Amino acid sequence: LTVTPDQGPVRMAETPAAGSAAPIRMALLLPLRSETLGLAASSVRAGFLAAWERDRDNITVDVVETGDVAQDVLASYARAQQQDDIIVGPLARSAVAAIAASSLVQKPTVALNYPDGHGMPGAAPLPPQMLAMGLSIEEEARQAAQWAAADQPGSTALILSTSTPWQRRVAAAFAAQWQRHGLPSKTVELSAPDGYLSDPELVQLRARLRDDPPGLLFSAMSADQTRQLRGALGDGVSTEPTNPTFSTADALPPPPAAAPGPSLRGLPIYGTSALNPGSGSNSPTQELDGVHLLDLPWQLQRDHPAVMVYPHPLQSNSADIERLYALGIDAYRVAREIGRHPVGRFQLDGVTGRLNVDFGEGAASFERTEQPAVYQNGVARPVTP
């Protein structure tokens, strides 16, 4: 973050001595019993309380269970404002939108998600006392575009996705950021029956790339789908699925022989944290060697100073659950800093990335810069872009 003189100094958030400050009451609003969000909410709570246990700093945390209905969340939020000094939550996108659109926000609020359209042109601003710091895969796509534009100046990007809604959002975010750099891009949407890319379409894509190679590929897809893509760019199309109960060979004729010519495996590929399935995945990742991605320090840098001081959740086989746990840690650290210094700008070397926060003077702003990485020998290793 560049600081100009009229913006004032940016302070680095530090851990104060325990019990050295005035008491603060925090409310953590989460849908802990929700059928759809209960597991995610429990992971955020675990991370939040792990951070609180390490740096209580005369702070009391009230965990408030909320329902899924907007009116229930609004009622819980209103009660929390009467009893607590700072509110963290809610988690659901719709609940954040409901609070942002209400006239209730009178105390510092750290939302754990973003309302629909947040950050897009014409989107309604959040209330001045509300900061949104959810994990955004669309923001990862925008950061990936900035990275790729610096690495491959003047290049045309070919953006690949399926019709899955989240992949379409990721593809659109990358394309919009690429366009802001004044660079050309094309988007191809591939079929993915049962989650696996269509082999005939991969053959057609390979022929297209040979005839008109772009400067780079951006994969808005999952790790397994990107593995299939890498197989198609090698010496032949890889049709072996990772799910042993499904075989494309049972449903499709053998793919045509690969067209002659040099291998396309050296074509630069960029992607998001969706390309990092985590240690709990049984899928091999050697096929992703050389692929560029962004992810949280929590997932990539176990020796990061901020990561090392917090316990990792037990028996977590999901990278997404790990990321939500990390979100809980950073949400507490941001809320604590706002609670101690309600007005001003600060930086935090967080477990979800490098955080830049401006709060208390007009509209709040939040920026997270995630860690770049490149696959080497099947492992996503941090790099300096």
Side-chain angles (χ1 to χ4, degrees), residues 7 10 18 44 50 87 107 148 159 193 249 269 276 282 284 313 315 357:
Q7 290 178 307
V10 176
V44 172
I87 295 92
K107 289 185 177 179
I159 303 167
I269 300 178
N276 186 12
N282 294 322
Q315 299 178 339
V357 180

Side-chain angles (χ1 to χ4, degrees), residues 297-376:
W298 187 260
Q299 292 297 93
L300 296 171
Q301 296 173 290
R302 294 300 172 100
D303 59 348
H304 185 289
V307 172
M308 293 173 64
V309 299
Y310 297 106
H312 280 255
L314 299 176
Q315 299 178 339
S316 174
N317 293 322
S318 167
D320 287 337
I321 292 301
E322 287 265 359
R323 293 182 184 104
L324 288 165
Y325 180 90
L327 174 63
I329 292 174
D330 275 359
Y332 175 78
R333 297 177 70 193
V334 168
R336 184 193 64 196
E337 188 66 17
I338 291 175
R340 293 294 173 221
H341 307 282
V343 178
R345 306 173 64 243
F346 63 92
Q347 295 178 344
L348 186 68
D349 200 11
V351 299
T352 64
R354 186 73 173 179
L355 311 183
N356 292 280
V357 180
D358 191 348
F359 193 86
E361 296 178 316
S365 68
F366 175 85
E367 179 185 5
R368 175 189 290 111
T369 303
E370 294 192 20
Q371 175 62 48
V374 175
Y375 267 102
Q376 299 174 2

Side-chain angles (χ1 to χ4, degrees), residues 149 154-155 175-185:
S155 292
Q177 187 65 36
W178 199 251
Q179 186 176 23
R180 292 188 188 102
H181 287 279
L183 298 172
S185 68

Side-chain angles (χ1 to χ4, degrees), residues 16-24 52 55-59 332 336 340:
S20 65
I24 293 176
W52 173 70
D55 300 307
R56 294 194 180 198
D57 192 28
N58 207 13
I59 293 173
Y332 175 78
R336 184 193 64 196
R340 293 294 173 221

Side-chain angles (χ1 to χ4, degrees), residues 13-302:
E14 297 179 354
T15 301
S20 65
I24 293 176
R25 292 182 64 91
M26 287 186 189
L28 178 62
L29 273 61
L30 291 171
L32 293 168
R33 298 187 183 181
S34 167
E35 291 186 3
T36 55
L37 290 174
L39 180 58
S42 295
S43 301
V44 172
R45 177 184 61 179
F48 192 92
L49 295 180
W52 173 70
E53 287 285 356
R54 183 178 185 276
D55 300 307
R56 294 194 180 198
D57 192 28
N58 207 13
I59 293 173
T60 301
V61 175
D62 298 321
V63 179
V64 180
E65 292 188 5
T66 66
D68 290 329
V69 181
Q71 282 303 118
D72 178 60
V73 176
L74 289 170
S76 297
Y77 180 83
R79 287 192 296 270
Q81 280 205 128
Q82 295 175 357
Q83 303 168 4
D84 299 284
D85 303 304
I86 185 168
I87 295 92
V88 180
L91 179 61
R93 187 181 292 263
S94 59
V96 174
I99 290 176
S102 74
S103 59
L104 293 174
V105 184
Q106 302 298 323
K107 289 185 177 179
T109 301
V110 179
L112 298 168
N113 209 329
Y114 302 93
D116 286 329
H118 178 68
M120 301 296 291
L126 296 176
Q129 287 289 299
M130 191 174 196
L131 176 82
M133 61 167 293
L135 299 177
S136 170
I137 198 168
E138 293 95 331
E139 178 57 28
E140 289 180 359
R142 287 187 280 270
Q143 290 183 29
Q146 293 174 329
W147 182 16
D151 277 358
Q152 316 291 334
S155 292
T156 297
L158 182 63
I159 303 167
L160 300 171
S161 78
T162 71
S163 61
T164 306
W166 71 264
Q167 293 188 15
R168 284 178 168 173
R169 294 197 305 269
V170 169
F174 183 94
Q177 187 65 36
W178 199 251
Q179 186 176 23
R180 292 188 188 102
H181 287 279
L183 298 172
S185 68
K186 300 176 182 178
T187 300
V188 172
E189 191 169 285
L190 299 169
S191 302
D194 297 304
Y196 297 100
L197 300 180
S198 162
D199 287 322
E201 288 188 15
L202 287 176
V203 173
Q204 295 171 7
L205 175 64
R206 177 175 174 167
R208 170 178 175 171
L209 294 178
R210 287 193 182 283
D211 292 340
D212 184 20
L216 62 100
L217 302 177
F218 175 75
S219 173
M221 303 181 293
S222 69
D224 279 346
Q225 290 167 342
T226 306
R227 284 179 57 248
Q228 288 184 273
L229 173 66
R230 286 301 299 279
L233 299 185
D235 295 329
V237 176
S238 174
T239 61
E240 182 180 353
T242 56
N243 182 352
T245 64
F246 174 81
S247 173
T248 54
D250 295 335
L252 296 168
S263 172
L264 294 168
R265 287 182 66 89
L267 196 59
I269 300 178
Y270 293 78
T272 66
S273 61
L275 302 188
N276 186 12
S279 58
S281 171
N282 294 322
S283 300
T285 49
Q286 284 80 3
E287 279 289 342
L288 296 177
D289 279 359
V291 171
H292 303 65
L293 71 151
L294 289 154
D295 206 344
L296 313 186
W298 187 260
Q299 292 297 93
L300 296 171
Q301 296 173 290
R302 294 300 172 100

